[in-house]
Structures are given as structure tokens and as C-alpha cells.
Amino acid sequence: MPTSRLWQTLLAQPVMMCGLRPFFLLTAISALVCIPPWLLFYTGQAQVAQWLALMPGGPIVWHAHELVFGFGMAAVAGFLLVAVPEFTQSAPMGRHALAWLCLCWLAVRLVWLAAPALPLALSVGLMALAQAAFFALLLALVTPRLFSTAGRLHLAFLYALLALASLQAGFLWALCTEGEALRWLNAAVGALMALTIVAASRISMRIVNSRIVAGVLHPPLPGAAVYLARPPRRNFAIFTIALCSALEFFGAPEGVTGWCALAAAAAVLGLLNDWHIGRPLFNRWALGLYVCYWMLALGYALMGLTWLQAPWAPLTPTAGRHLLTIGTMGLSILVVMCIAGRQHCGHWLDQRVWVPLAALALLLSALLRAWAGMPAGAEHFERWLMASGLAWCLAFALYLWHMGAILFGPRQDGLQGCQEPANAHELGSGCG
């Protein structure tokens, strides 16, 4: 079959119908693919250890990069490709651009796999080309819409995306010059935390303020309490997170960075004051997003205590940072993929037990990984690490098992695109 026919066949598949479909699939697949080699490395599997040891920057750099710019950026792309057209009331993203974005993302992953067998300059150069193409295309798709009249309220998405693109460029430069690549990834975690606050504030207002019946979102009853994600609190939390990341990046005294991290934790806890409106908080979707804020606050609190050298705190900020990457980034991505992944594929929310089980598995993964980095958990570090990794894999395996067919398949309501379900009565059971 000619290449053009293969390309047209790909574009015609239901998985290319909506921007989140391929990228949410890639997010879940990457979550399952990048963790087992890391676990095998720590258990001493010789071939895996040798392969990871030859990665540019070493095993830790590969692991952190694939978690942030592989798993994390796939989820960011899937979210933005649907959220930006919805927020700006503009046309959906085209299938051709979506396919090219997916190919660029996959190309970076393939170069990482081949990197141990390539010269450093060649592997980093190929990564840079593919990653630059990915960010350039994503920015070209979202920037004009965000500068429209309706999009100016959502310019924070553009700023976060530009920050991530800049940090990725700095990381690749450090990798090529054998500089300190990990600090760029740590700063990227901070950028993702800020982006999480921006995105979660919009999603949570819809979820908390809706009356959810059999998975269907209905308007709230008259007189019901309303949750508002107030900009001053949100902006202050983002500012403290950005300041903490900058202080760590530029090597400020640990005491200064530690107090700033505690300020970030307090600012995030301050955001939770907006959430406390009573009963609407107590459904699985609202609680999942609510717990993400707690993981965010606890992560910065633990890092702050570490930098301040509290006697019972971990020796390094790694324990707290994993509360951010697993507990905040991982859990928020899972919850958003469960909500938006169904709604924009023609289904209402899933009421089955696998959803809270997957969320609990991720929460357990974050707590176990943080405990492994504490002095009390150091004696059995490998066991806690293995348990954390298996819980992470369980969460995303459950997602793929229950959501894979929905993301790959046609809509049940016969529509094309990213619209919410056309018939709430027929599609609200959440059973498939």
C-alpha cells in the first residue's frame, strides 16, 4: 500500500477523531513502559542496568525526562488540543496536525531507545529536532486561539507551554555539553505543578459545581453552594512555586529555598479554602482533584523541611518531589483522563469501581515512594520502590483496560469530533 494511502488510513481512524484520544493512549502506554525498566535497574537486572547506564546523562536523567517530557507532555498535549478549542470557542484541531504531533512525540521516545548505541551529539541532536518540531507545532496550534478575544483569559496555558519548551531546550543543551541536566528537569516539574493548578481550577469548577447523577453532569440545584477557584489565591500559589523552582535552579542557599518551599505548601493549602463548600466535594471526581492539591502541598512541605535540614526529614528532596510527580502530576492526569477522556469520546462519567481503585493505587504509589526516601524507609528502599512502581503500573493498566476501546473506537452517539455525549439519558449509565 502506498505511503499516501497508509497516511489516509491512519487519519480516517476513530482514534484521530479528537486530540485527546491518541495522546491519552500514549500517556497511559508510556506510564506502563517507562517504569518497569527503572524497577529492573534497581533490582540489578544486568542487561537493563547496562542499557540504562549508557543513556545520555545516566539512568536517573532518562527516568526523570521520560516521566516529565514523555508521560507528562503527552497528557498536556492531549488536554490542550481539546481544552483550547473549547475555551476559545474555535474549530477542533485538524487530523493532519494531530498525526504529526504524535509522530514527533514518538520520535523522541525512539531516539532515547537508540541513544546508547549512538554518539552523544547525534542522539541529542535528533532529540532536539523531534522535540523542537513537537513544541513548535503545538504552539502553532494553540497560540493564535489563545490570543483571540475569548482566549485571553487562558493565556496562562501559553506561558506554561513556553516555559516547558524553554526548559526542554536547556535540558538538551546541558545533555550535549555534559552539564547538570537534572536541574532543568527539576525546574520542569515546577512548571508542570503550576500548569496543574491552572488546568485543575477550570476542570474542578465544572465538576464540583455540577449535580452528577448516574455519571451525567447536570446544572446545580437553585441555591446550591458554588465553588470558585479565585485568581488571587491561585496566582499567589503559582508565584511561590515558580520562585521555589528558580531558587533551586540557580543554587540559592538551602535555607532560603526551604522557606520558599514551605511558603508554596502554605499557598497551595490556601487554595483548598475555596473547595470547602460542603457535600458537593464528596464525589469520586471532586475528591480525586482535591487530593491532588494535598499531594502538591505535602510535596513542597517535605522538600522545604529537607532543605531546612529538619532532623526527621529525608536527606534529599527526592521524597517530596515524588509526591509532586506521582501524587500530583500522576493522579491529576489520571483523573482528567477519566473525566475528559470519556466525555469527549461520547460517554458520560464511569461509575464503576475501577476508577477509585486506580486513583487509590496512584495515591499509594506516591506515599510508598515518599516513604522509601525517608530515613525510616531507607533500610528496605528497594522493596518500597518496587511496591510503588507496581501500584503505579496497576493504576494505568486499569485505565488502558477500561478506556482503550473507547479511545480507539467510534462514538456511540454517531457524532464526529470532541463534543460531549449527545444523549444524556442513553449514555449516562457509565457502564461502558
Side-chain angles (χ1 to χ4, degrees), residues 279-423:
R279 189 172 181 178
L281 179 61
F282 293 98
N283 67 70
R284 63 176 66 181
W285 313 105
L287 278 175
L289 294 167
Y290 181 78
V291 170
C292 292
Y293 283 90
W294 271 103
M295 291 292 101
L296 181 56
L298 291 175
Y300 276 105
L302 197 55
M303 288 196 300
L305 292 172
T306 302
W307 282 317
L308 291 172
Q309 299 181 356
W312 45 268
L315 298 176
T316 70
T318 302
R321 208 178 316 271
H322 277 91
L323 288 181
L324 304 182
T325 54
I326 302 174
T328 300
M329 183 177 73
L331 181 57
S332 63
I333 286 172
L334 177 72
V335 174
V336 170
M337 291 200 305
C338 287
I339 295 172
R342 282 184 64 91
Q343 284 184 276
H344 293 287
C345 290
H347 298 256
W348 286 111
L349 304 181
D350 199 322
Q351 298 298 294
R352 291 174 292 180
V353 70
W354 76 267
V355 176
L357 284 179
L360 287 172
L362 267 187
L363 180 60
L364 179 63
S365 175
L367 295 175
L368 287 172
R369 183 59 186 85
W371 178 252
M374 299 288 287
E379 182 179 357
H380 301 291
F381 175 83
E382 289 81 7
R383 294 181 183 179
W384 300 122
L385 181 70
M386 181 66 68
S388 172
L390 292 176
W392 167 280
C393 291
L394 173 62
F396 288 100
L398 285 171
Y399 180 84
L400 273 179
W401 179 262
H402 292 283
M403 284 293 300
I406 291 175
L407 295 170
F408 264 115
R411 294 173 60 112
Q412 289 186 350
D413 54 10
L415 297 179
Q416 297 287 320
C418 299
Q419 306 96 316
E420 291 187 354
N423 191 319

Side-chain angles (χ1 to χ4, degrees), residues 194 197 233-246 260 264 267:
I197 292 176
R233 288 176 174 170
R234 184 173 70 244
N235 293 339
F236 181 66
I238 292 171
F239 169 77
T240 56
I241 289 171
L243 180 59
C244 181
S245 295
C260 186

Side-chain angles (χ1 to χ4, degrees), residues 22-34 65-78 81 97-113 126-127 129-135 137-138 168:
F23 276 107
F24 281 6
L25 279 169
L26 291 173
T27 300
I29 292 170
S30 66
L32 291 174
V33 169
C34 70
H65 181 274
E66 289 306 277
L67 185 63
V68 173
F69 285 107
F71 167 80
M73 276 310 303
V76 169
L81 289 171
L98 175 57
W100 279 112
L101 266 178
C102 293
L103 289 177
C104 291
W105 185 92
L106 287 168
V108 179
R109 315 282 78 77
L110 292 175
V111 174
W112 269 110
L113 286 175
L126 292 174
M127 287 181 211
L129 286 174
Q131 198 72 71
F134 173 85
F135 274 110
L137 184 51
L138 185 56
Q168 172 71 99

Side-chain angles (χ1 to χ4, degrees), residues 10 44 148 174 190 192 197 200 205 242 261 273-274 297 312 358 362 379 415:
L10 170 65
S148 67
L192 282 173
I197 292 176
M205 282 194 289
N273 289 323
D274 295 335
W312 45 268
L362 267 187
E379 182 179 357
L415 297 179

Side-chain angles (χ1 to χ4, degrees), residues 144-159:
R145 300 165 190 255
L146 291 173
F147 274 106
S148 67
T149 302
R152 291 183 184 273
L153 292 173
H154 309 285
L155 279 172
F157 290 122
L158 177 61
Y159 303 147

Side-chain angles (χ1 to χ4, degrees), residues 172-256:
L172 290 170
W173 175 256
L175 208 60
C176 187
T177 58
E178 300 187 21
E180 193 178 349
L182 196 59
R183 69 171 182 156
W184 294 91
L185 297 176
N186 291 337
V189 171
L192 282 173
M193 294 305 103
L195 180 57
T196 298
I197 292 176
V198 173
S201 64
R202 288 152 172 80
I203 298 170
S204 57
M205 282 194 289
R206 172 82 192 280
I207 292 298
V208 177
N209 294 331
S210 293
R211 184 168 50 91
I212 302 176
V213 180
V216 181
L217 303 182
H218 297 281
L221 295 173
V226 175
Y227 159 60
L228 295 175
R230 291 173 172 82
R233 288 176 174 170
R234 184 173 70 244
N235 293 339
F236 181 66
I238 292 171
F239 169 77
T240 56
I241 289 171
L243 180 59
C244 181
S245 295
L247 289 172
E248 183 187 12
F249 181 85
F250 290 109
E254 288 192 344
V256 175

